[in-house]
Amino acid sequence: MIMLNLCDIKFELLKDYIIGNNYKIAIYGAGMIGRTIMPDYLMRHGLDENLLFYVDADTRKQKQKVIVGLRQYNICAPEVLNNIGHDTIILITNSNYSPVLHTLDAMESLDGIKAVIVPVIMAEGVKDRAAAGGGTDVIRDYTDELIPKVINYCWFSGRKMPDYLKRCIDSWSRICPDYEIKRWDESNYDVNKNEYMRQAYEEGRWGFVPDYARLDILYNYGGFYIDTDVELLKPLEPLRRQGAFCGVEKWGNVNMGGCSGAIPHHRMIKKLLKYREEAVFRYEDGSLNPDTCGVYETAPFIAMGMSADNTCQRINEMTVFSSEYFHPYDYMSGENVITENTFSIHHFNGGWLDDKRKEERKKTVGEYNNILKRIYGQADYE
């Protein structure tokens, strides 16, 4: 049966595996992980010389390039993979990997070619670390100025809030009973103050509207920010002397929505805001910008020296916490990896996803265990 040879390799050993076998690299996927996390990974491990090209089935992305170090790489159509040999390994970066595998498994020229589903081995690595005892408590007092005891959230659209989101918000007041819970909506926030936000609002893509608003709110007023699909597990008080903080997902990308906070007018929040100023949600041809907050919130940190490796770091007087703190939920497997350091669970209900992508995500959850069996050589595909 024609199919890729999915490697049983731990993420922390991937670099040595590629170098040891002198593999050339083809990266499939020019989304957030491919364009933001992988360039940092390749450069930090000296693998950029091994990179041949990027591949993506999205024809709009095929007109773009990905910058890795000082080089620009073309984003090619999948057919270019017909020309690679067994000296090349394919790094699949899509968390929605099922349709990618379907495409690549059907390509006769790729039969037996080594491939790695990067998000899967990253997620499995998080589980391994948690099973080994989790991370170390790295919370320190960095400033005398306290983050205000206000939990901010956004709810635009005027629609009725679903009960499952209300239950998340109820956890905030239950865990932090002396905090003000402040809702931001059309009555007290101007969505026209930023072009990206205005366009997302006009398109009715409510999950994208808060991406700018939450940064703007934190910068001007300070406090904590939490997305409505976040459940709080323990008090936020230990975080108040950070000056500013946020968390990453298991891929290493920053996501301010799981739980973030800052004193007013913090300089790193200002940098994040400035980075978003030129972004648009609707392109001139009418198509919509598919990039999630992970792209816009991670790039400024990497530019200032952050390693996108899901570890706790201090960047420009702002703490970046690993995924166990605020993002323990894995939407590929549907599993929570909670440790003693976990403050909140970002349930990723997918307000930014269209109906097609929501169905694809459900399918990915259903296939996750089968993928693991295939990787570990336990599945029968005859």
Side-chain angles (χ1 to χ4, degrees), residues 34-329:
R35 250 181 29 246
T36 306
I37 304 303
M38 293 310 295
D40 178 71
Y41 176 83
L42 295 175
M43 292 297 296
R44 288 185 180 275
H45 294 292
L47 295 173
D48 50 305
E49 296 285 345
N50 299 54
L51 181 60
L52 296 176
F53 44 70
Y54 272 75
V55 177
D56 201 290
D58 187 336
T59 55
R60 185 183 61 82
K61 290 181 180 178
Q62 292 166 16
K63 301 175 183 178
Q64 303 173 0
K65 295 180 183 294
V66 178
I67 298 174
V68 181
L70 299 177
R71 299 181 182 179
Q72 293 186 347
Y73 288 84
N74 292 324
I75 301 175
C76 307
E79 288 73 21
V80 72
L81 293 172
N82 285 317
N83 300 319
I84 68 173
H86 284 75
D87 62 343
T88 300
I89 188 169
I90 302 174
L91 304 184
I92 300 170
T93 66
N94 307 64
S95 58
N96 179 27
Y97 51 78
S98 295
V100 176
L101 284 179
H102 179 77
T103 296
L104 300 185
D105 282 339
M107 297 173 65
E108 185 173 353
S109 63
L110 298 183
D111 187 24
I113 294 288
K114 296 282 189 178
V116 171
I117 306 177
V118 173
V120 170
I121 65 172
M122 283 179 166
E124 290 301 297
V126 169
K127 290 197 289 186
D128 290 342
R129 290 196 295 275
T136 303
D137 184 355
V138 297
I139 296 177
R140 301 287 184 271
D141 291 344
Y142 288 102
T143 69
D144 292 330
E145 189 174 357
L146 292 169
I147 294 174
K149 298 173 76 169
V150 179
I151 298 176
N152 300 282
Y153 75 98
C154 293
W155 185 253
F156 297 103
S157 76
R159 297 182 302 175
K160 181 180 178 181
M161 183 176 290
D163 288 340
Y164 68 88
L165 295 182
K166 291 180 180 178
R167 287 194 292 271
C168 286
I169 293 176
D170 287 344
S171 72
W172 309 347
S173 54
R174 184 176 68 252
I175 299 296
C176 297
D178 57 338
Y179 281 52
E180 177 188 358
I181 310 296
K182 185 169 180 60
R183 168 171 164 159
W184 296 87
D185 55 30
E186 293 88 341
S187 70
N188 59 0
Y189 189 84
D190 181 11
V191 297
N192 295 304
K193 66 192 305 183
N194 170 264
E195 184 70 2
Y196 177 99
M197 182 168 53
R198 180 185 66 79
Q199 292 175 341
Y201 188 88
E202 290 175 349
E203 295 289 341
R205 301 299 296 271
W206 313 119
F208 289 89
V209 177
D211 288 353
Y212 181 88
R214 63 192 180 198
L215 295 171
D216 185 44
I217 291 164
L218 283 180
Y219 181 72
N220 285 295
Y221 304 100
F224 296 85
Y225 177 86
I226 304 180
D227 276 350
T228 53
D229 57 351
V230 173
E231 177 186 358
L232 204 57
L233 299 183
K234 64 181 184 179
L236 299 173
E237 198 65 23
L239 300 169
R240 293 186 64 206
R241 291 191 185 273
Q242 296 298 302
F245 74 89
C246 61
V248 299
E249 298 179 47
K250 56 184 56 64
W251 336 125
N253 65 287
V254 173
N255 186 326
M256 300 286 289
C259 185
S260 53
I263 58 176
H265 305 114
H266 191 278
R267 64 185 188 181
M268 190 60 195
I269 303 297
K270 184 177 182 178
K271 281 186 176 292
L272 294 171
L273 274 171
K274 185 173 179 58
Y275 188 80
R276 292 201 73 115
E277 285 179 357
E278 301 302 319
V280 296
F281 187 74
R282 184 173 56 236
Y283 296 116
E284 291 183 0
D285 64 2
S287 62
L288 302 183
N289 181 355
D291 290 337
T292 61
C293 61
V295 172
Y296 297 104
E297 293 175 355
T298 307
F301 281 97
I302 290 178
M304 298 203 69
M306 186 188 85
S307 176
D309 60 1
N310 192 11
T311 59
C312 296
Q313 300 167 60
R314 184 78 174 168
I315 305 295
N316 198 23
E317 299 185 3
M318 183 167 180
T319 305
V320 181
F321 288 106
S322 61
S323 62
E324 64 176 315
Y325 284 80
F326 312 118
H327 299 99
Y329 177 68

Side-chain angles (χ1 to χ4, degrees), residues 2-56:
I2 299 171
M3 58 175 28
L4 291 173
N5 183 353
L6 296 184
C7 299
D8 174 8
I9 184 75
K10 294 183 181 297
F11 186 66
E12 61 267 26
L13 301 178
L14 179 60
K15 173 201 69 171
D16 295 332
Y17 183 71
I18 292 173
I19 294 174
N21 289 281
N22 197 28
Y23 279 130
K24 300 173 185 175
I25 299 171
I27 293 182
Y28 194 110
M32 188 283 298
I33 297 175
R35 250 181 29 246
T36 306
I37 304 303
M38 293 310 295
D40 178 71
Y41 176 83
L42 295 175
M43 292 297 296
R44 288 185 180 275
H45 294 292
L47 295 173
D48 50 305
E49 296 285 345
N50 299 54
L51 181 60
L52 296 176
F53 44 70
Y54 272 75
V55 177
D56 201 290

